[in-house]
Amino acid sequence: MKAASSWGTVIYDKKRKSYRARYQNPHKPGNKVQRVFSDRLTAQGWLAREKQLVDADKAGLGTWTHPSERDRAQQELLERNNTLFEDYASAYVSHWVRKDGQPFAEATQRKHREYLAHLLKAEFSTKRIGSITEADIHKWLASPMDPTPRLRAFQLLKDIMRQAEQTGVIERSPVTMRNPKLPKSKQAQIPIATAQELSVIYDNMPPYCRIAVYLGACFDLRINEVCALQVADVDLPRKILHVRHSVGKGKGDKGYRRLKETKTDSSRADLPIPDSLVDMLREQMGDRRKDAMLIESPKTGGILSDPALRRLFNKAAAAAGRPDLHFHTLRATAIDTAIHNGATLRETMALGRHSDEKTSIERYQRASAERLREISNRVAGALLPSTRSREEIEFEIAETKKQLARLEAELAQLNEKA
């Protein structure tokens, strides 16, 4: 039995004792769109709602899609809304790649897993991702946590929620607050090493690896870049040092150290070798093969691991009266010395192989009290009348005597070595 209406039809199926409502597919003439219902009233109500959608589509006020497509979309939305944050976040990190589509380095992936672990400790991690609120995040941010892990985990959370919003998993990201601030880096406040301190550290290092001190301080190399240098990387005729690798563990951040790509693309560089380092490098190279490591492990004859070199450096730094000194501080030493000897910001960025100015300025340039006093005196000397007071002259004499004493001490060291 067929019941026709002004739009669509409802057919009673005696065999199944049900009502089939149907109408013409507005996008595919000749095809029918239909649904089966248990009673006529529900079938007619469905037809009325479908007519509204079709009319809106014809008027350009909406887009009609087949009911089955709408059902699938509704089911997908329901499934997404039921997704737990911990599941979504874990999947995000496991598939996270660099902007160029390449996988992150193993050490970087390990860091990502560490940040994820901090997020998964949050109370909201077991909630449905669509039900997480700003209040949940504020509560997590207020919980006890070290500043750096808090910031890195927060940045990861922001990335996760941004993707969830862009892919329609959630309507709006609840991460609307600013990044947590970091206190000033303690390492960035460590005073740079002086020439005299570097000399003492050098003398207290084992002969086979002591050149690492000046490789770090003069070339602004990271410790894992120093360990990765091979004899072939030192071009003495052209006085060029090729930085091509770093050392790190294997897949899964496991296993022995091996040659790997540098930390960033900008870290790869050809650096000029200072004249004063040529003889030192020639002695270090000796007559070894080109593929030999410039600093060899005394046990294996291969790569000297960065933790092993760090331990030797720390011991020598303590002997020089600088137990606070890190090998990484040699990068600041190189850049700060370059700045104080007239290098421009762009030149120090090239030396440090930094891709942005902020890194070079905030992390590695130091403004010592002594240097600021010197600059202040120069500015005042250029702007104020030339007549100086007795105190100013006495102060300059005292500073000159200090400089003379340092030079005499340096000369005495050279005489002892001779």
Side-chain angles (χ1 to χ4, degrees), residues 166-180:
Q166 291 172 347
T167 54
V169 175
I170 57 177
E171 291 186 7
R172 174 179 169 274
S173 169
V175 186
T176 59
M177 58 289 293
R178 292 184 178 180
N179 289 354

Side-chain angles (χ1 to χ4, degrees), residues 47 49 74 80 103-104 113 162 323 328 358-359:
L47 270 182
R49 290 191 298 273
Q74 185 65 28
R80 288 198 299 266
F104 286 104
R113 291 191 292 271
R162 183 187 297 119
H328 204 72
K358 185 178 180 181
T359 300

Side-chain angles (χ1 to χ4, degrees), residues 59-341:
L61 301 176
T63 302
W64 178 90
T65 57
H66 196 282
S68 60
E69 292 181 34
R70 280 177 263 147
D71 290 344
R72 282 196 298 271
Q74 185 65 28
Q75 182 61 31
E76 289 175 2
L77 179 60
L78 182 63
E79 291 174 358
R80 288 198 299 266
N81 287 341
N82 284 329
T83 301
L84 299 181
F85 174 82
E86 58 186 358
D87 295 332
Y88 188 89
S90 298
Y92 179 91
V93 171
S94 65
H95 296 98
W96 201 3
V97 294
R98 300 188 319 189
K99 291 182 179 179
D100 60 3
Q102 295 301 310
F104 286 104
E106 296 292 341
T108 304
Q109 292 182 35
R110 172 169 49 80
K111 284 294 183 184
H112 291 167
R113 291 191 292 271
E114 288 178 12
Y115 307 150
L116 174 63
H118 283 286
L119 277 182
L120 297 185
K121 292 176 184 177
E123 289 184 14
F124 62 70
S125 68
T126 56
K127 295 180 66 173
R128 291 182 294 107
I129 188 169
S131 66
I132 296 174
T133 65
E134 292 182 22
D136 291 324
I137 298 172
H138 280 298
K139 184 178 180 181
W140 169 68
L141 287 171
S143 63
M145 202 185 319
D146 289 336
T148 299
R150 186 202 319 274
L151 172 62
R152 303 306 177 212
F154 177 83
Q155 291 171 329
L156 173 59
L157 174 63
K158 182 185 289 186
D159 289 339
I160 291 171
M161 289 302 195
R162 183 187 297 119
Q163 175 177 281
E165 180 181 341
Q166 291 172 347
T167 54
V169 175
I170 57 177
E171 291 186 7
R172 174 179 169 274
S173 169
V175 186
T176 59
M177 58 289 293
R178 292 184 178 180
N179 289 354
K181 289 187 177 181
L182 282 178
K184 245 186 177 180
S185 167
K186 292 182 180 179
Q187 184 165 307
Q189 299 177 55
I190 297 173
I192 63 171
T194 66
Q196 290 73 25
E197 289 167 347
L198 291 177
S199 178
V200 177
I201 295 171
Y202 176 88
D203 291 338
N204 279 275
M205 293 276 284
Y208 71 89
C209 66
R210 59 176 40 155
I211 196 173
V213 176
Y214 291 118
L215 290 174
C218 295
F219 294 105
D220 193 10
L221 299 183
R222 302 174 178 91
I223 193 167
N224 54 11
E225 293 170 341
V226 170
C227 293
L229 288 173
Q230 296 175 285
V231 171
D233 293 325
V234 183
D235 184 349
L236 288 183
R238 296 170 57 209
K239 296 182 182 178
I240 297 292
L241 181 72
H242 304 290
V243 183
R244 294 291 181 268
H245 300 96
S246 65
V247 297
K249 296 181 180 180
K251 188 172 180 60
D253 200 28
K254 298 178 181 178
Y256 296 106
R257 294 298 197 275
R258 64 206 69 192
L259 293 182
K260 306 189 76 172
E261 294 296 318
T262 52
K263 182 178 180 181
T264 63
D265 291 340
S266 63
S267 297
R268 291 172 58 89
D270 295 327
L271 303 175
I273 297 175
D275 294 338
S276 53
L277 269 181
V278 169
D279 290 341
M280 196 178 292
L281 283 168
R282 182 178 287 113
E283 181 181 351
Q284 180 72 22
M285 294 163 63
D287 57 358
R288 287 180 292 148
R289 303 186 321 271
K290 292 288 186 181
D291 61 348
M293 304 308 299
L294 183 62
I295 300 177
E296 293 179 331
S297 165
K299 293 182 179 179
T300 66
I303 293 174
L304 176 66
S305 72
D306 43 306
L309 179 57
R310 187 175 286 108
R311 286 193 295 271
L312 294 170
F313 177 85
N314 291 346
K315 185 177 179 181
R322 288 297 308 274
D324 61 321
L325 207 61
H326 296 260
F327 193 95
H328 204 72
T329 314
L330 299 183
R331 280 171 63 76
T333 300
I335 290 180
D336 195 74
T337 304
I339 284 287
H340 290 173
N341 281 276

